[in-house]
Amino acid sequence: MKLYLDTVTGILSEDSNRLPLRTIGAKRGDTLEIELVPSTALTGATGLMVAKEKGAYSGAAVALDSAWTAPETEGAGYLFSLSLNTEEIAALFTGEKA
């Protein structure tokens, strides 16, 4: 999945129209591969991609990737690999079908 980040407004979008991203669909247990393309070069950037329970704005993440890969060419994005197969995610679905 390719996402675009407007470094001025902070808006994250999934297409060149730059409409704000509302949701990301993914299947529990999969790995979500994300290429994050900033609108301007980010000098000395560090990356962190997290997923949290809906409505939980503080506290621990249910999925985390801090081992991102910086772009090798201009215009390319930062690569994240977010595992959706964590104990924290499984705990959110306790009592539901596997």
Side-chain angles (χ1 to χ4, degrees):
M1 167 182 290
K2 191 175 228 178
L3 300 177
Y4 299 88
L5 174 65
D6 185 317
T7 56
V8 174
T9 64
I11 292 176
L12 189 63
S13 61
E14 61 181 328
D15 57 31
S16 58
N17 294 330
R18 306 289 193 236
L19 297 174
L21 180 68
R22 300 282 183 222
T23 60
I24 294 177
K27 183 178 174 188
R28 180 172 48 134
D30 285 351
T31 298
L32 188 56
E33 303 289 339
I34 297 173
E35 179 182 4
L36 184 65
V37 181
S39 59
T40 59
L42 301 175
T43 306
T46 59
L48 184 67
M49 183 69 65
V50 300
K52 291 190 166 200
E53 182 179 2
K54 185 176 182 177
Y57 299 104
S58 62
V62 295
L64 166 71
D65 180 21
S66 58
W68 54 277
T69 304
E72 294 181 12
T73 60
E74 189 173 330
Y78 294 82
L79 302 177
F80 293 90
S81 181
L82 193 63
S83 173
L84 303 177
N85 188 20
T86 67
E87 291 178 14
E88 293 83 0
I89 290 175
L92 296 174
F93 294 92
T94 301
E96 296 200 17
K97 291 183 177 181

